[in-house]
PDB file of all heavy atoms in Angstrom:
ATOM      1  N   TYR A 121     160.732  72.423  24.975  1.00 95.00           N
ATOM      2  CA  TYR A 121     162.110  72.184  25.442  1.00 95.00           C
ATOM      3  C   TYR A 121     162.989  71.622  24.336  1.00 95.00           C
ATOM      4  O   TYR A 121     162.510  71.198  23.279  1.00 95.00           O
ATOM      5  CB  TYR A 121     162.110  71.203  26.609  1.00 95.00           C
ATOM      6  CG  TYR A 121     161.367  71.707  27.816  1.00 95.00           C
ATOM      7  CD1 TYR A 121     160.022  71.422  28.001  1.00 95.00           C
ATOM      8  CD2 TYR A 121     162.016  72.475  28.774  1.00 95.00           C
ATOM      9  CE1 TYR A 121     159.338  71.888  29.103  1.00 95.00           C
ATOM     10  CE2 TYR A 121     161.340  72.942  29.884  1.00 95.00           C
ATOM     11  CZ  TYR A 121     159.999  72.641  30.042  1.00 95.00           C
ATOM     12  OH  TYR A 121     159.330  73.104  31.139  1.00 95.00           O
ATOM     13  N   HIS A 122     164.300  71.582  24.636  1.00 96.00           N
ATOM     14  CA  HIS A 122     165.232  70.785  23.841  1.00 96.00           C
ATOM     15  C   HIS A 122     166.280  70.229  24.800  1.00 96.00           C
ATOM     16  O   HIS A 122     166.906  70.984  25.538  1.00 96.00           O
ATOM     17  CB  HIS A 122     165.901  71.630  22.742  1.00 96.00           C
ATOM     18  CG  HIS A 122     166.620  70.782  21.748  1.00 96.00           C
ATOM     19  ND1 HIS A 122     166.010  70.280  20.618  1.00 96.00           N
ATOM     20  CD2 HIS A 122     167.893  70.298  21.736  1.00 96.00           C
ATOM     21  CE1 HIS A 122     166.873  69.542  19.953  1.00 96.00           C
ATOM     22  NE2 HIS A 122     168.027  69.536  20.605  1.00 96.00           N
ATOM     23  N   VAL A 123     166.441  68.910  24.801  1.00 96.00           N
ATOM     24  CA  VAL A 123     167.367  68.270  25.749  1.00 96.00           C
ATOM     25  C   VAL A 123     168.696  67.963  25.056  1.00 96.00           C
ATOM     26  O   VAL A 123     168.727  67.272  24.033  1.00 96.00           O
ATOM     27  CB  VAL A 123     166.762  66.963  26.311  1.00 96.00           C
ATOM     28  CG1 VAL A 123     167.675  66.388  27.393  1.00 96.00           C
ATOM     29  CG2 VAL A 123     165.367  67.216  26.869  1.00 96.00           C
ATOM     30  N   LEU A 124     169.796  68.487  25.623  1.00 95.00           N
ATOM     31  CA  LEU A 124     171.125  68.279  25.031  1.00 95.00           C
ATOM     32  C   LEU A 124     171.705  66.916  25.381  1.00 95.00           C
ATOM     33  O   LEU A 124     172.551  66.399  24.666  1.00 95.00           O
ATOM     34  CB  LEU A 124     172.093  69.365  25.528  1.00 95.00           C
ATOM     35  CG  LEU A 124     171.757  70.806  25.122  1.00 95.00           C
ATOM     36  CD1 LEU A 124     172.731  71.760  25.810  1.00 95.00           C
ATOM     37  CD2 LEU A 124     171.844  70.949  23.602  1.00 95.00           C
ATOM     38  N   HIS A 125     171.277  66.328  26.496  1.00 92.00           N
ATOM     39  CA  HIS A 125     171.846  65.072  27.009  1.00 92.00           C
ATOM     40  C   HIS A 125     173.330  65.202  27.272  1.00 92.00           C
ATOM     41  O   HIS A 125     174.132  64.374  26.824  1.00 92.00           O
ATOM     42  CB  HIS A 125     171.542  63.911  26.062  1.00 92.00           C
ATOM     43  CG  HIS A 125     170.080  63.562  26.023  1.00 92.00           C
ATOM     44  ND1 HIS A 125     169.482  62.833  27.009  1.00 92.00           N
ATOM     45  CD2 HIS A 125     169.105  63.888  25.142  1.00 92.00           C
ATOM     46  CE1 HIS A 125     168.194  62.692  26.730  1.00 92.00           C
ATOM     47  NE2 HIS A 125     167.935  63.335  25.610  1.00 92.00           N
ATOM     48  N   GLY A 126     173.694  66.249  27.992  1.00 92.00           N
ATOM     49  CA  GLY A 126     175.096  66.441  28.373  1.00 92.00           C
ATOM     50  C   GLY A 126     175.526  67.871  28.173  1.00 92.00           C
ATOM     51  O   GLY A 126     174.736  68.732  27.746  1.00 92.00           O
ATOM     52  N   LEU A 127     176.775  68.151  28.535  1.00 93.00           N
ATOM     53  CA  LEU A 127     177.358  69.470  28.340  1.00 93.00           C
ATOM     54  C   LEU A 127     178.722  69.287  27.670  1.00 93.00           C
ATOM     55  O   LEU A 127     179.360  68.252  27.849  1.00 93.00           O
ATOM     56  CB  LEU A 127     177.560  70.178  29.692  1.00 93.00           C
ATOM     57  CG  LEU A 127     176.299  70.540  30.466  1.00 93.00           C
ATOM     58  CD1 LEU A 127     176.662  71.108  31.834  1.00 93.00           C
ATOM     59  CD2 LEU A 127     175.450  71.556  29.676  1.00 93.00           C
ATOM     60  N   ILE A 128     179.138  70.269  26.904  1.00 94.00           N
ATOM     61  CA  ILE A 128     180.455  70.185  26.275  1.00 94.00           C
ATOM     62  C   ILE A 128     181.517  70.163  27.375  1.00 94.00           C
ATOM     63  O   ILE A 128     181.494  70.986  28.290  1.00 94.00           O
ATOM     64  CB  ILE A 128     180.693  71.391  25.341  1.00 94.00           C
ATOM     65  CG1 ILE A 128     179.627  71.408  24.242  1.00 94.00           C
ATOM     66  CG2 ILE A 128     182.092  71.343  24.736  1.00 94.00           C
ATOM     67  CD1 ILE A 128     179.638  72.680  23.408  1.00 94.00           C
ATOM     68  N   SER A 129     182.414  69.189  27.310  1.00 92.00           N
ATOM     69  CA  SER A 129     183.454  69.078  28.319  1.00 92.00           C
ATOM     70  C   SER A 129     184.673  68.382  27.723  1.00 92.00           C
ATOM     71  O   SER A 129     184.750  67.151  27.740  1.00 92.00           O
ATOM     72  CB  SER A 129     182.931  68.292  29.521  1.00 92.00           C
ATOM     73  OG  SER A 129     183.976  68.005  30.406  1.00 92.00           O
ATOM     74  N   PRO A 130     185.621  69.166  27.185  1.00 90.00           N
ATOM     75  CA  PRO A 130     186.797  68.553  26.547  1.00 90.00           C
ATOM     76  C   PRO A 130     187.539  67.621  27.511  1.00 90.00           C
ATOM     77  O   PRO A 130     188.091  66.608  27.095  1.00 90.00           O
ATOM     78  CB  PRO A 130     187.665  69.765  26.178  1.00 90.00           C
ATOM     79  CG  PRO A 130     186.714  70.911  26.129  1.00 90.00           C
ATOM     80  CD  PRO A 130     185.667  70.625  27.140  1.00 90.00           C
ATOM     81  N   LEU A 131     187.517  67.958  28.813  1.00 90.00           N
ATOM     82  CA  LEU A 131     188.230  67.122  29.784  1.00 90.00           C
ATOM     83  C   LEU A 131     187.625  65.724  29.888  1.00 90.00           C
ATOM     84  O   LEU A 131     188.319  64.746  30.124  1.00 90.00           O
ATOM     85  CB  LEU A 131     188.208  67.779  31.170  1.00 90.00           C
ATOM     86  CG  LEU A 131     189.131  68.977  31.337  1.00 90.00           C
ATOM     87  CD1 LEU A 131     188.955  69.594  32.701  1.00 90.00           C
ATOM     88  CD2 LEU A 131     190.587  68.544  31.124  1.00 90.00           C
ATOM     89  N   LYS A 132     186.296  65.645  29.769  1.00 90.00           N
ATOM     90  CA  LYS A 132     185.637  64.328  29.827  1.00 90.00           C
ATOM     91  C   LYS A 132     185.442  63.774  28.419  1.00 90.00           C
ATOM     92  O   LYS A 132     184.692  62.811  28.224  1.00 90.00           O
ATOM     93  CB  LYS A 132     184.269  64.469  30.505  1.00 90.00           C
ATOM     94  CG  LYS A 132     184.339  64.864  31.966  1.00 90.00           C
ATOM     95  CD  LYS A 132     182.916  64.927  32.548  1.00 90.00           C
ATOM     96  CE  LYS A 132     182.896  65.645  33.884  1.00 90.00           C
ATOM     97  NZ  LYS A 132     181.593  66.316  34.106  1.00 90.00           N
ATOM     98  N   ASN A 133     186.086  64.432  27.437  1.00 92.00           N
ATOM     99  CA  ASN A 133     186.004  64.013  26.042  1.00 92.00           C
ATOM    100  C   ASN A 133     184.569  64.052  25.499  1.00 92.00           C
ATOM    101  O   ASN A 133     184.172  63.199  24.712  1.00 92.00           O
ATOM    102  CB  ASN A 133     186.598  62.608  25.880  1.00 92.00           C
ATOM    103  CG  ASN A 133     187.118  62.390  24.469  1.00 92.00           C
ATOM    104  OD1 ASN A 133     187.315  63.365  23.739  1.00 92.00           O
ATOM    105  ND2 ASN A 133     187.314  61.145  24.100  1.00 92.00           N
ATOM    106  N   ILE A 134     183.783  65.034  25.991  1.00 91.00           N
ATOM    107  CA  ILE A 134     182.430  65.227  25.450  1.00 91.00           C
ATOM    108  C   ILE A 134     182.480  66.441  24.541  1.00 91.00           C
ATOM    109  O   ILE A 134     182.671  67.572  25.007  1.00 91.00           O
ATOM    110  CB  ILE A 134     181.387  65.432  26.566  1.00 91.00           C
ATOM    111  CG1 ILE A 134     181.423  64.243  27.533  1.00 91.00           C
ATOM    112  CG2 ILE A 134     179.995  65.598  25.980  1.00 91.00           C
ATOM    113  CD1 ILE A 134     180.548  64.423  28.753  1.00 91.00           C
ATOM    114  N   LEU A 135     182.356  66.202  23.245  1.00 93.00           N
ATOM    115  CA  LEU A 135     182.462  67.266  22.257  1.00 93.00           C
ATOM    116  C   LEU A 135     181.075  67.635  21.755  1.00 93.00           C
ATOM    117  O   LEU A 135     180.116  66.892  21.973  1.00 93.00           O
ATOM    118  CB  LEU A 135     183.369  66.795  21.110  1.00 93.00           C
ATOM    119  CG  LEU A 135     184.766  66.384  21.624  1.00 93.00           C
ATOM    120  CD1 LEU A 135     185.600  65.782  20.500  1.00 93.00           C
ATOM    121  CD2 LEU A 135     185.479  67.588  22.233  1.00 93.00           C
ATOM    122  N   PRO A 136     180.943  68.793  21.081  1.00 93.00           N
ATOM    123  CA  PRO A 136     179.624  69.241  20.613  1.00 93.00           C
ATOM    124  C   PRO A 136     178.864  68.166  19.844  1.00 93.00           C
ATOM    125  O   PRO A 136     177.653  68.041  19.990  1.00 93.00           O
ATOM    126  CB  PRO A 136     179.962  70.438  19.720  1.00 93.00           C
ATOM    127  CG  PRO A 136     181.218  70.988  20.316  1.00 93.00           C
ATOM    128  CD  PRO A 136     181.990  69.801  20.819  1.00 93.00           C
ATOM    129  N   ASP A 137     179.601  67.362  19.055  1.00 92.00           N
ATOM    130  CA  ASP A 137     178.921  66.340  18.246  1.00 92.00           C
ATOM    131  C   ASP A 137     178.314  65.236  19.100  1.00 92.00           C
ATOM    132  O   ASP A 137     177.473  64.466  18.614  1.00 92.00           O
ATOM    133  CB  ASP A 137     179.900  65.721  17.239  1.00 92.00           C
ATOM    134  CG  ASP A 137     179.901  66.514  15.935  1.00 92.00           C
ATOM    135  OD1 ASP A 137     179.099  67.471  15.836  1.00 92.00           O
ATOM    136  OD2 ASP A 137     180.698  66.185  15.043  1.00 92.00           O
ATOM    137  N   ASP A 138     178.723  65.122  20.381  1.00 92.00           N
ATOM    138  CA  ASP A 138     178.158  64.092  21.253  1.00 92.00           C
ATOM    139  C   ASP A 138     176.826  64.542  21.846  1.00 92.00           C
ATOM    140  O   ASP A 138     176.114  63.748  22.455  1.00 92.00           O
ATOM    141  CB  ASP A 138     179.132  63.771  22.404  1.00 92.00           C
ATOM    142  CG  ASP A 138     180.445  63.221  21.870  1.00 92.00           C
ATOM    143  OD1 ASP A 138     180.390  62.450  20.893  1.00 92.00           O
ATOM    144  OD2 ASP A 138     181.502  63.582  22.411  1.00 92.00           O
ATOM    145  N   LEU A 139     176.500  65.819  21.695  1.00 94.00           N
ATOM    146  CA  LEU A 139     175.255  66.341  22.255  1.00 94.00           C
ATOM    147  C   LEU A 139     174.221  66.497  21.149  1.00 94.00           C
ATOM    148  O   LEU A 139     174.542  66.432  19.957  1.00 94.00           O
ATOM    149  CB  LEU A 139     175.511  67.696  22.927  1.00 94.00           C
ATOM    150  CG  LEU A 139     176.654  67.732  23.941  1.00 94.00           C
ATOM    151  CD1 LEU A 139     176.782  69.114  24.544  1.00 94.00           C
ATOM    152  CD2 LEU A 139     176.429  66.692  25.024  1.00 94.00           C
ATOM    153  N   LYS A 140     172.965  66.744  21.572  1.00 95.00           N
ATOM    154  CA  LYS A 140     171.881  66.884  20.596  1.00 95.00           C
ATOM    155  C   LYS A 140     171.800  68.337  20.158  1.00 95.00           C
ATOM    156  O   LYS A 140     170.763  68.997  20.342  1.00 95.00           O
ATOM    157  CB  LYS A 140     170.568  66.432  21.223  1.00 95.00           C
ATOM    158  CG  LYS A 140     170.613  65.038  21.818  1.00 95.00           C
ATOM    159  CD  LYS A 140     170.709  63.971  20.752  1.00 95.00           C
ATOM    160  CE  LYS A 140     170.552  62.592  21.354  1.00 95.00           C
ATOM    161  NZ  LYS A 140     170.769  61.530  20.353  1.00 95.00           N
ATOM    162  N   ILE A 141     172.902  68.849  19.608  1.00 95.00           N
ATOM    163  CA  ILE A 141     172.933  70.243  19.181  1.00 95.00           C
ATOM    164  C   ILE A 141     172.438  70.365  17.746  1.00 95.00           C
ATOM    165  O   ILE A 141     171.708  71.290  17.391  1.00 95.00           O
ATOM    166  CB  ILE A 141     174.361  70.829  19.308  1.00 95.00           C
ATOM    167  CG1 ILE A 141     174.773  70.859  20.789  1.00 95.00           C
ATOM    168  CG2 ILE A 141     174.434  72.230  18.694  1.00 95.00           C
ATOM    169  CD1 ILE A 141     176.178  71.341  21.040  1.00 95.00           C
ATOM    170  N   ARG A 142     172.807  69.369  16.916  1.00 95.00           N
ATOM    171  CA  ARG A 142     172.445  69.441  15.506  1.00 95.00           C
ATOM    172  C   ARG A 142     170.928  69.515  15.330  1.00 95.00           C
ATOM    173  O   ARG A 142     170.435  70.292  14.510  1.00 95.00           O
ATOM    174  CB  ARG A 142     173.018  68.224  14.770  1.00 95.00           C
ATOM    175  CG  ARG A 142     173.453  68.567  13.357  1.00 95.00           C
ATOM    176  CD  ARG A 142     174.253  67.436  12.749  1.00 95.00           C
ATOM    177  NE  ARG A 142     175.478  67.170  13.520  1.00 95.00           N
ATOM    178  CZ  ARG A 142     176.256  66.101  13.320  1.00 95.00           C
ATOM    179  NH1 ARG A 142     175.914  65.203  12.407  1.00 95.00           N
ATOM    180  NH2 ARG A 142     177.347  65.928  14.031  1.00 95.00           N
ATOM    181  N   SER A 143     170.184  68.707  16.120  1.00 95.00           N
ATOM    182  CA  SER A 143     168.723  68.698  15.968  1.00 95.00           C
ATOM    183  C   SER A 143     168.119  70.016  16.450  1.00 95.00           C
ATOM    184  O   SER A 143     167.062  70.427  15.971  1.00 95.00           O
ATOM    185  CB  SER A 143     168.110  67.514  16.710  1.00 95.00           C
ATOM    186  OG  SER A 143     168.540  67.490  18.060  1.00 95.00           O
ATOM    187  N   LEU A 144     168.809  70.706  17.389  1.00 96.00           N
ATOM    188  CA  LEU A 144     168.324  72.012  17.847  1.00 96.00           C
ATOM    189  C   LEU A 144     168.471  73.040  16.722  1.00 96.00           C
ATOM    190  O   LEU A 144     167.530  73.795  16.420  1.00 96.00           O
ATOM    191  CB  LEU A 144     169.122  72.453  19.089  1.00 96.00           C
ATOM    192  CG  LEU A 144     168.859  73.878  19.573  1.00 96.00           C
ATOM    193  CD1 LEU A 144     167.412  74.052  20.025  1.00 96.00           C
ATOM    194  CD2 LEU A 144     169.812  74.251  20.715  1.00 96.00           C
ATOM    195  N   ILE A 145     169.658  73.052  16.082  1.00 95.00           N
ATOM    196  CA  ILE A 145     169.899  73.970  14.964  1.00 95.00           C
ATOM    197  C   ILE A 145     168.848  73.725  13.872  1.00 95.00           C
ATOM    198  O   ILE A 145     168.258  74.667  13.319  1.00 95.00           O
ATOM    199  CB  ILE A 145     171.318  73.738  14.375  1.00 95.00           C
ATOM    200  CG1 ILE A 145     172.380  73.827  15.479  1.00 95.00           C
ATOM    201  CG2 ILE A 145     171.602  74.725  13.244  1.00 95.00           C
ATOM    202  CD1 ILE A 145     172.604  75.181  16.046  1.00 95.00           C
ATOM    203  N   GLN A 146     168.599  72.441  13.615  1.00 94.00           N
ATOM    204  CA  GLN A 146     167.633  72.057  12.594  1.00 94.00           C
ATOM    205  C   GLN A 146     166.239  72.619  12.908  1.00 94.00           C
ATOM    206  O   GLN A 146     165.556  73.160  12.041  1.00 94.00           O
ATOM    207  CB  GLN A 146     167.590  70.521  12.512  1.00 94.00           C
ATOM    208  CG  GLN A 146     166.811  69.972  11.327  1.00 94.00           C
ATOM    209  CD  GLN A 146     167.359  70.482  10.001  1.00 94.00           C
ATOM    210  OE1 GLN A 146     168.562  70.736   9.871  1.00 94.00           O
ATOM    211  NE2 GLN A 146     166.480  70.681   9.024  1.00 94.00           N
ATOM    212  N   ARG A 147     165.849  72.505  14.203  1.00 94.00           N
ATOM    213  CA  ARG A 147     164.529  73.018  14.622  1.00 94.00           C
ATOM    214  C   ARG A 147     164.430  74.512  14.368  1.00 94.00           C
ATOM    215  O   ARG A 147     163.401  75.016  13.915  1.00 94.00           O
ATOM    216  CB  ARG A 147     164.319  72.780  16.128  1.00 94.00           C
ATOM    217  CG  ARG A 147     163.776  71.429  16.480  1.00 94.00           C
ATOM    218  CD  ARG A 147     163.708  71.257  17.986  1.00 94.00           C
ATOM    219  NE  ARG A 147     162.459  71.735  18.562  1.00 94.00           N
ATOM    220  CZ  ARG A 147     162.169  71.659  19.855  1.00 94.00           C
ATOM    221  NH1 ARG A 147     163.058  71.147  20.700  1.00 94.00           N
ATOM    222  NH2 ARG A 147     161.034  72.111  20.315  1.00 94.00           N
ATOM    223  N   VAL A 148     165.518  75.231  14.722  1.00 95.00           N
ATOM    224  CA  VAL A 148     165.493  76.685  14.567  1.00 95.00           C
ATOM    225  C   VAL A 148     165.481  77.043  13.078  1.00 95.00           C
ATOM    226  O   VAL A 148     164.782  77.963  12.654  1.00 95.00           O
ATOM    227  CB  VAL A 148     166.711  77.315  15.276  1.00 95.00           C
ATOM    228  CG1 VAL A 148     166.775  78.821  15.002  1.00 95.00           C
ATOM    229  CG2 VAL A 148     166.644  77.044  16.776  1.00 95.00           C
ATOM    230  N   ARG A 149     166.250  76.269  12.293  1.00 94.00           N
ATOM    231  CA  ARG A 149     166.347  76.524  10.865  1.00 94.00           C
ATOM    232  C   ARG A 149     164.995  76.345  10.179  1.00 94.00           C
ATOM    233  O   ARG A 149     164.665  77.057   9.231  1.00 94.00           O
ATOM    234  CB  ARG A 149     167.356  75.553  10.242  1.00 94.00           C
ATOM    235  CG  ARG A 149     168.399  76.300   9.501  1.00 94.00           C
ATOM    236  CD  ARG A 149     169.381  75.483   8.752  1.00 94.00           C
ATOM    237  NE  ARG A 149     170.681  76.118   8.893  1.00 94.00           N
ATOM    238  CZ  ARG A 149     171.787  75.497   9.198  1.00 94.00           C
ATOM    239  NH1 ARG A 149     171.777  74.194   9.389  1.00 94.00           N
ATOM    240  NH2 ARG A 149     172.909  76.169   9.315  1.00 94.00           N
ATOM    241  N   GLU A 150     164.226  75.364  10.663  1.00 91.00           N
ATOM    242  CA  GLU A 150     162.924  75.091  10.046  1.00 91.00           C
ATOM    243  C   GLU A 150     161.933  76.226  10.304  1.00 91.00           C
ATOM    244  O   GLU A 150     160.852  76.250   9.730  1.00 91.00           O
ATOM    245  CB  GLU A 150     162.366  73.756  10.561  1.00 91.00           C
ATOM    246  CG  GLU A 150     162.969  72.572   9.815  1.00 91.00           C
ATOM    247  CD  GLU A 150     162.708  71.240  10.495  1.00 91.00           C
ATOM    248  OE1 GLU A 150     161.935  71.210  11.473  1.00 91.00           O
ATOM    249  OE2 GLU A 150     163.304  70.241  10.059  1.00 91.00           O
ATOM    250  N   GLY A 151     162.318  77.168  11.152  1.00 81.00           N
ATOM    251  CA  GLY A 151     161.540  78.388  11.302  1.00 81.00           C
ATOM    252  C   GLY A 151     160.506  78.379  12.400  1.00 81.00           C
ATOM    253  O   GLY A 151     160.329  77.395  13.118  1.00 81.00           O
ATOM    254  N   ASN A 152     159.823  79.522  12.557  1.00 89.00           N
ATOM    255  CA  ASN A 152     158.770  79.707  13.552  1.00 89.00           C
ATOM    256  C   ASN A 152     159.279  79.675  14.988  1.00 89.00           C
ATOM    257  O   ASN A 152     158.493  79.454  15.908  1.00 89.00           O
ATOM    258  CB  ASN A 152     157.656  78.660  13.389  1.00 89.00           C
ATOM    259  CG  ASN A 152     157.000  78.776  12.032  1.00 89.00           C
ATOM    260  OD1 ASN A 152     156.844  79.890  11.511  1.00 89.00           O
ATOM    261  ND2 ASN A 152     156.646  77.652  11.443  1.00 89.00           N
TER     262      ASN A 152
END
Side-chain angles (χ1 to χ4, degrees):
Chain A
Y121 298 92
H122 192 89
V123 186
L124 296 174
H125 292 282
L127 294 175
I128 300 171
S129 171
L131 286 176
K132 294 182 194 151
N133 206 17
I134 303 173
L135 303 174
D137 271 357
D138 298 322
L139 308 181
K140 306 290 188 185
I141 295 177
R142 215 169 299 170
S143 53
L144 172 63
I145 306 290
Q146 190 57 31
R147 275 176 88 179
V148 174
R149 235 185 219 133
E150 278 166 8
N152 299 324

